[in-house]
C-alpha cells in the first residue's frame, strides 16, 4: 500500500497548481462539450438536427448560452433566506470540482521541459473512493439548502426529493463499490486501476457494475430518475427560483457530477486509463500521455449512455423509484456482496475449481433475482384468504387484520373521499 | 499545525454561531461547518479513514436528517423564551461553567504527545483499523451492529401502520369514479384548471364558464378559505394598472369615468378601487 502511493505528494507547488488548474479547465470544457453533445445526440434520436449554427458543428452554442445565462438579471425572491440562497449554489458546485482531484487520468509521466516525473492525477489517498462519496454527500447540501432557502413550496419539495433520492442511491452505490474494494484490496483510485491490469472489474463484477450504473443515474438526478426537477409536478424543482449565474452554477454542478460518476465508473470498472483490449497489444498504449485519450473516450462513452437513457426512457413515478432503490437494488447489492466475499474467500484459501464455483454462484444469483422480481405478484395471488370477510371497522373502532385475513372494502369509499 | 490555527478560529466562531443563530437551519449549517473542519483536522493527523467516515456519517447522513426535520416541520419561528422549568437558566449557566472548568482541568493534565502513530499506520491506515476491528474488538463491533439493527427495526415498527382497508388500484378508483357519477352525478373527469388570461394566470384566478360566471371548482379550497381569490376580468383592475404605469392625464380621466360608471356594480370592484387608490398615493 505504501509503495503504491509513494509517488504522490512529491510534486513541487507550481506543478500542483498547474494540475489543479488543468483539472478545473478540463471539467469546465467537458461541461460545455457535454451540453452541446447532449443536445446534438438527443436531437439525432428525435430526428432533429440540434444546434449547428455557432462555431464548427455548433460547438460554441453552449458557450454562447453560458454567457447569455450569466448576463441575465439576478433575482432574489422576497421570501428567500438571502444568505443561504446565495451560498447554496456555491456549496453545490465546489464539491463537484473537488471530487476530480483523486481521479487518475494516466500513469506516471515525464513533465515536459523539466526532469520531474509525476502521475497524471492531482492527488491520491488511501481512502480516495470513500473521499468521493463523502464529498458528494456534502454537495447534496447545496441542493437541499437551495430548495429550502428559496421560500417556495416547489423548491422545498424538489430539494427534499433530491436529497432523499441521493441519500438512498448512495447506499446502493456504496454497496456496489465494496466488491471492487474486495478484489482490488485497496480503496485508492490509482491502485484500483493498477489491479485491473489483466481484467476489468466491470467483467469480473458485472452485477456490481450494473448496480453502480443504475445508482449513478439516480445519484446525478438524470432522466429517468430526474424527479427533483419533474417539470410537470414541481416546475423546476430545487432551482425553480434561481436565475442568472446562480442557476448556471447549479447547472454546472449537475454536469460535473455526471462527469465525475462517469470517471469513477471508468476508474473502478473499465480499467481507468488503461487501453481497451485490441489497443493494449501495442506496447506504448499505456505509457506517456496516450492514456488520457483512452480515459476520455471511456468517460464520454458513459456520458453517451446517460444521454441515451434520457432520450429513451420516460420519467419514473417517485414511489416506484424509491421502492426500486430500497426494495430491489439494495437487497440485490447486499446478496451480491455476500457472494463476492464467499468467492474471494474460497479462491484465496482453498484450491477450488473456479468454473464450478462461478456456475453455482450464477445459478443462485439468477434464482435470487427471479425471487425478487416475481415474489411480489405471487404474494398477492397466493395469499390464503380466511373464509369470513374481515371488516376493520366492525366493532366501531378500527382493529388491524389477523394474519391471513384481507381487509374488505366496507368503508373504503369513505376513506378515499 | 497551520491547519489547526486556520481551522480552530473557524470552528470556535461556528460553534458560537450555533448558540446565537436565530434560525434553526442556520445553526444546523454552522454545525456542518464545525463537523467538516473537525474531519479535516483528523486528516491532518494521519487518520484518513476517520476523515471520510466523519463526513459520510455525521455530515452526510445524521445532519441531513436534522435538516430534513427542520425544513419539513418548519422550526423557523424564533423559539419561545418562556422558562418552563423554574431556575433552568441559572442551572444551565452553572453546569456549563462547571463542565468547562472540569474539561479545562482535565485537558491541562494531559500532555499532548501522539505516541505510536507511525507504528499504528505502518501497514496502512485502513488495514490497521480493520485488523483491530476484526480481531481484538470484534465482539464490541458485532454488539454495536446488533444494537444498530435493533434500533432500525424499532424505528420501522414505530412508523408502521396496519392497513385497515384494501389498497385501491387504478381500476378500482376508475370504477369508484363511475359509480359516483351514476349515483350522485359527480363529474368523473379532472377538475377545471384555474383561468389563464392575458394578465393573470396564477392559481388564485378562477376560470370562467361559457356564460361568464366563475367556476367554483377551478380554485383551491384553501385559497377560497383564506379569501384571496382574485377576479378574472375587472375594469377596476385595468384602472389600477394604468394608474401605476402613469399614463397621460387624459387617458387617466377617461378610465376614471368608466370606472365610476361601473363602480356601483359590486363589492369586488369597490375593493379593487380602494386598492388602486392606496398604491397611487
Amino acid at each position: 500500500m505504501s509503495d503504491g502511493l509513494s509517488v504522490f505528494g512529491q510534486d513541487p507547488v507550481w506543478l500542483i497548481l498547474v494540475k489543479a488548474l488543468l483539472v478545473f479547465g478540463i471539467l469546465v470544457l467537458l461541461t460545455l462539450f457535454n451540453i452541446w453533445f447532449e443536445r446534438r445526440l438527443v436531437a439525432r434520436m428525435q430526428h432533429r438536427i440540434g444546434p449547428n449554427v455557432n462555431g464548427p458543428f455548433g460547438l460554441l452554442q453552449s458557450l454562447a448560452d453560458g454567457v447569455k445565462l450569466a448576463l441575465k438579471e439576478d433575482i432574489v425572491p422576497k421570501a428567500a433566506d438571502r444568505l443561504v440562497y446565495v451560498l447554496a449554489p456555491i456549496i453545490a458546485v465546489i464539491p463537484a470540482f473537488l471530487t476530480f482531484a483523486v481521479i487518475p487520468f494516466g500513469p506516471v509521466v515525464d513533465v515536459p521541459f523539466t526532469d520531474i516525473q509525476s502521475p497524471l492525477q492531482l492527488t491520491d489517498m488511501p481512502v480516495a473512493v470513500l473521499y468521493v462519496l463523502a464529498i458528494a454527500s456534502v454537495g447534496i447540501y447545496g441542493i437541499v439548502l437551495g430548495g429550502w432557502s428559496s421560500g417556495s413550496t416547489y423548491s422545498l419539495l424538489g430539494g427534499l426529493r433530491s436529497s432523499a433520492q441521493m441519500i438512498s442511491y448512495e447506499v446502493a452505490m456504496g454497496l456496489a463499490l465494496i466488491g471492487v474494494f474486495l478484489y482490488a484490496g485497496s480503496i485508492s483510485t490509482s491502485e484500483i486501476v493498477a489491479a485491473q491490469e489483466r481484467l476489468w472489474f466491470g467483467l469480473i463484477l458485472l452485477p456490481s457494475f450494473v448496480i453502480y450504473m443504475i445508482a449513478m443515474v439516480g445519484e446525478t438526478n438524470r432522466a429517468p430518475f430526474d424527479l427533483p426537477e419533474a417539470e410537470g409536478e414541481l416546475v423546476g424543482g430545487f432551482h425553480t427560483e434561481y436565475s442568472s449565474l446562480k442557476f448556471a452554477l447549479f447547472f454546472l454542478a449537475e454536469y460535473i457530477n455526471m462527469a465525475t460518476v462517469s470517471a469513477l465508473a471508468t476508474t473502478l470498472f473499465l480499467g481507468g486509463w488503461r487501453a481497451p483490449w485490441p489497443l493494449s497489444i501495442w506496447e506504448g498504449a499505456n505509457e506517456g500521455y496516450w492514456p488520457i485519450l483512452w480515459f476520455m473516450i471511456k468517460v464520454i462513452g458513459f456520458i453517451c449512455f446517460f444521454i441515451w437513457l434520457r432520450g429513451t426512457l420516460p420519467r419514473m413515478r417517485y414511489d416506484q423509484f424509491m421502492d426500486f432503490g430500497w426494495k430491489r437494488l439494495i437487497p440485490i447489492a447486499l446478496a451480491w456482496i455476500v457472494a463476492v466475499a464467499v468467492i474471494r474467500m474460497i479462491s484465496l484459501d482453498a484450491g477450488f475449481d473456479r468454473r464450478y464455483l462461478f456456475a453455482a454462484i450464477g445459478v443462485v444469483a439468477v434464482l435470487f433475482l427471479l425471487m425478487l422480481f416475481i415474489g411480489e405478484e405471487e404474494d398477492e395471488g397466493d395469499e390464503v384468504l380466511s373464509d369470513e370477510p374481515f371488516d376493520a371497522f366492525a366493532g366501531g373502532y378500527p382493529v388491524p387484520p389477523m394474519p391471513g385475513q384481507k381487509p374488505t372494502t366496507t368503508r373504503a369509499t369513505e376513506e378515499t373521499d | 499545525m497551520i491547519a489547526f490555527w486556520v481551522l480552530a478560529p473557524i470552528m470556535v466562531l461556528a460553534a458560537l454561531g450555533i448558540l446565537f443563530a436565530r434560525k434553526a437551519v442556520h445553526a444546523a449549517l454552522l454545525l456542518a461547518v464545525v463537523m467538516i473542519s473537525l474531519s479535516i483536522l483528523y486528516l491532518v493527523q494521519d487518520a484518513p479513514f476517520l476523515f471520510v467516515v466523519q463526513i459520510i456519517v455525521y455530515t452526510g447522513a445524521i445532519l441531513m436528517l436534522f435538516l430534513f426535520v427542520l425544513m419539513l416541520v418548519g422550526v423557523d419561528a424564533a423559539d419561545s423564551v418562556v422558562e418552563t422549568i423554574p431556575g433552568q437558566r441559572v442551572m444551565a449557566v452553572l453546569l456549563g461553567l462547571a463542565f468547562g472548568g472540569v474539561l479545562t482541568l482535565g485537558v491541562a493534565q494531559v500532555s499532548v504527545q501522539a505516541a505510536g502513530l507511525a507504528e499504528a499506520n505502518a501497514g496502512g491506515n485502513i488495514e490497521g483499523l480493520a485488523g483491530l476491528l476484526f480481531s481484538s474488538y470484534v465482539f464490541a463491533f458485532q454488539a454495536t451492529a446488533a444494537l444498530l439493527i435493533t434500533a432500525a427495526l424499532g424505528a420501522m415498527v414505530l412508523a408502521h401502520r396496519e392497513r385497515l382497508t384494501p389498497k385501491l388500484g387504478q381500476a378500482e378508483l376508475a370504477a369508484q369514479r363511475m359509480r359516483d357519477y351514476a349515483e350522485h352525478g359527480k363529474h368523473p373527469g379532472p377538475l377545471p384548471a384555474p383561468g389563464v388570461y392575458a394578465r393573470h394566470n396564477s392559481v388564485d384566478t378562477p376560470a370562467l364558464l361559457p356564460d361568464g360566471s366563475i367556476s367554483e371548482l377551478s380554485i383551491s379550497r384553501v385559497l377560497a378559505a383564506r379569501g384571496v381569490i382574485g377576479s378574472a376580468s375587472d375594469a377596476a383592475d385595468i384602472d389600477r394598472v394604468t394608474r401605476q404605469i402613469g399614463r397621460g392625464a387624459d387617458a387617466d380621466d377617461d378610465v376614471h369615468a368608466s370606472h365610476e360608471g361601473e363602480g356601483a356594480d359590486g363589492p369586488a370592484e369597490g375593493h379593487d378601487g380602494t386598492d388602486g387608490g392606496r398604491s397611487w398615493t
Side-chain angles (χ1 to χ4, degrees):
Chain A
M1 155 139 265
S2 44
D3 292 326
L5 291 180
S6 58
V7 291
F8 295 96
Q10 313 284 339
D11 297 337
V13 177
W14 65 266
L15 190 57
I16 295 173
L17 289 177
V18 167
K19 277 186 183 178
L21 204 65
L22 277 178
V23 167
F24 179 81
I26 286 175
L27 281 176
V28 172
L29 285 181
L30 199 62
T31 301
L32 290 178
F33 172 79
N34 282 343
I35 295 170
W36 169 84
F37 186 47
E38 171 161 21
R39 293 181 64 184
R40 284 297 290 238
L41 205 60
V42 166
R44 187 62 61 186
M45 289 174 189
Q46 297 166 349
H47 300 279
R48 297 183 285 117
I49 295 174
N52 64 346
V53 175
N54 300 309
F57 307 107
L59 264 169
L60 296 180
Q61 181 66 47
S62 30
L63 189 66
D65 285 347
V67 172
K68 182 190 131 193
L69 194 55
L71 294 176
K72 278 188 169 182
E73 186 189 357
D74 198 1
I75 298 166
V76 180
K78 216 189 277 176
D81 185 313
R82 251 194 117 79
L83 181 72
V84 183
Y85 183 81
V86 175
L87 215 58
I90 302 171
I91 297 179
V93 86
I94 290 180
F97 278 106
L98 283 182
T99 45
F100 244 80
V102 293
I103 301 291
F105 286 86
V108 177
V109 295
D110 299 319
V111 181
F113 313 119
T114 59
D115 51 357
I116 304 173
Q117 287 214 325
S118 177
L120 285 174
Q121 180 176 2
L122 183 54
T123 184
D124 200 359
M125 46 176 109
V127 288
V129 180
L130 291 182
Y131 163 83
V132 173
L133 284 184
I135 298 295
S137 68
V138 174
I140 304 177
Y141 272 89
I143 290 173
V144 178
L145 293 173
W148 173 77
S149 65
S150 300
S152 143
T153 315
Y154 288 133
S155 303
L156 181 64
L157 289 176
L160 288 178
R161 262 191 188 190
S162 172
S163 47
Q165 158 174 351
M166 286 167 99
I167 290 169
S168 311
Y169 275 69
E170 211 169 35
V171 177
M173 189 183 242
L175 290 175
L177 300 180
I178 290 178
V180 176
F181 300 159
L182 284 178
Y183 265 79
S186 170
I187 310 187
S188 103
T189 45
S190 60
E191 283 172 17
I192 288 174
V193 172
Q196 297 179 74
E197 196 170 356
R198 209 168 55 81
L199 207 55
W200 291 354
F201 287 148
L203 300 174
I204 310 174
L205 302 164
L206 190 65
S208 286
F209 186 36
V210 172
I211 292 167
Y212 180 87
M213 289 223 284
I214 297 173
M216 80 179 184
V217 180
E219 186 75 6
T220 44
N221 298 335
R222 291 276 309 179
F225 300 154
D226 56 346
L227 301 141
E229 32 198 293
E231 59 270 359
E233 306 155 28
L234 294 176
V235 190
F238 62 89
H239 56 60
T240 305
E241 306 290 341
Y242 278 92
S243 57
S244 186
L245 209 57
K246 297 197 192 78
F247 175 74
L249 286 183
F250 274 126
F251 206 68
L252 184 68
E254 187 187 324
Y255 273 82
I256 294 178
N257 281 334
M258 214 162 95
T260 305
V261 289
S262 303
L264 198 63
T266 306
T267 306
L268 296 182
F269 293 104
L270 294 192
W273 43 262
R274 293 190 172 276
W277 168 65
L279 283 166
S280 58
I281 297 170
W282 169 40
E283 282 293 318
N286 286 327
E287 282 162 27
Y289 287 87
W290 283 109
I292 297 181
L293 183 66
W294 319 138
F295 179 79
M296 290 318 275
I297 288 174
K298 288 175 191 173
V299 168
I300 288 173
F302 272 107
I303 304 256
C304 226
F305 172 71
F306 269 113
I307 298 168
W308 185 18
L309 281 182
R310 184 194 154 178
T312 313
L313 296 174
R315 184 177 295 133
M316 281 178 90
R317 217 171 64 199
Y318 192 66
D319 58 330
Q320 290 173 336
F321 170 70
M322 277 296 176
D323 276 358
F324 180 71
W326 284 101
K327 294 184 185 167
R328 303 262 192 273
L329 218 51
I330 293 178
I332 292 174
L334 278 173
W336 171 244
I337 287 171
V338 173
V340 167
V342 169
I343 296 175
R344 262 321 256 181
M345 210 54 212
I346 291 175
S347 61
L348 281 182
D349 283 0
F352 204 73
D353 191 349
R354 284 233 191 145
R355 275 174 302 169
Y356 292 114
L357 186 70
F358 281 135
I361 293 287
V363 169
V364 171
V366 167
L367 282 179
F368 188 77
L369 282 181
L370 282 178
M371 244 163 59
L372 271 175
F373 278 99
I374 300 171
E376 201 169 55
E377 278 115 74
E378 277 182 0
D379 274 358
E380 280 167 21
D382 290 353
E383 190 107 332
V384 184
L385 295 172
S386 64
D387 293 336
E388 65 223 69
F390 168 74
D391 181 5
F393 296 89
Y397 190 80
V399 283
M402 296 292 282
Q405 283 184 323
K406 278 205 114 179
T408 53
T409 51
T410 326
R411 301 275 176 107
T413 50
E414 285 163 41
E415 285 269 306
T416 48
D417 277 355
Chain B
M1 218 47 187
I2 303 169
F4 176 78
W5 286 114
V6 172
L7 288 173
I10 297 176
M11 283 172 78
V12 171
L13 283 179
L16 285 175
I18 298 172
L19 292 179
F20 297 115
R22 277 287 170 79
K23 286 186 174 176
V25 173
H26 290 179
L29 263 185
L30 288 166
L31 187 58
V33 171
V34 173
M35 283 176 171
I36 293 175
S37 312
L38 186 64
S39 71
I40 296 174
L41 285 182
Y42 287 147
L43 181 66
V44 172
Q45 299 187 346
D46 278 345
F49 189 70
L50 202 54
F51 153 70
V52 285
V53 166
Q54 166 82 16
I55 292 187
I56 292 178
V57 174
Y58 283 97
T59 320
I62 295 181
L63 198 62
M64 189 58 90
L65 281 180
F66 266 47
L67 265 184
F68 257 54
V69 174
L70 288 181
M71 287 173 183
L72 282 180
V73 179
V75 204
D76 261 346
D79 296 329
S80 120
V81 284
V82 180
E83 275 185 62
T84 45
I85 306 169
Q88 189 185 6
R89 269 184 228 186
V90 181
M91 287 300 286
V93 168
L94 284 179
L95 278 176
L97 284 176
F99 179 67
V102 168
L103 212 60
T104 317
L105 276 177
V107 172
Q109 301 292 318
V110 181
S111 63
V112 186
Q113 278 288 330
L117 189 63
E119 192 189 330
N121 277 344
N125 180 257
I126 299 177
E127 283 85 345
L129 270 177
L132 276 182
L133 265 189
F134 292 104
S135 60
S136 319
Y137 297 101
V138 72
F139 182 71
F141 183 68
Q142 295 288 350
T144 315
L147 186 70
L148 285 175
I149 290 178
T150 316
L153 274 180
M156 279 159 77
V157 167
L158 283 179
H160 180 70
R161 261 185 67 197
E162 201 78 50
R163 181 164 270 285
L164 297 177
T165 52
K167 197 175 179 181
L168 295 181
Q170 268 183 356
E172 286 88 4
L173 284 174
Q176 179 70 44
R177 265 199 295 276
M178 294 319 286
R179 212 161 37 242
D180 282 348
Y181 177 59
E183 286 166 12
H184 313 292
K186 202 173 144 193
H187 180 59
L191 295 173
V196 175
Y197 305 103
R199 284 190 297 113
H200 299 279
N201 63 354
S202 68
V203 282
D204 66 351
T205 313
L208 295 184
L209 293 173
D211 62 351
S213 62
I214 284 173
S215 165
E216 294 289 346
L217 289 174
S218 66
I219 37 178
S220 152
R221 264 183 315 166
V222 178
L223 293 181
R226 284 190 201 154
V228 288
I229 300 301
S231 55
S233 57
D234 200 336
D237 201 27
I238 301 170
D239 179 21
R240 183 164 50 108
V241 173
T242 8
R243 276 154 172 261
Q244 278 171 351
I245 294 170
R247 295 264 291 277
D250 295 357
D252 208 29
D253 281 346
D254 283 354
V255 177
H256 244 302
S258 72
H259 169 51
E260 263 148 28
E262 290 169 3
D265 279 2
E269 291 189 354
H271 167 73
D272 270 342
T274 53
D275 208 26
R278 212 184 309 137
S279 67
W280 179 236
T281 47

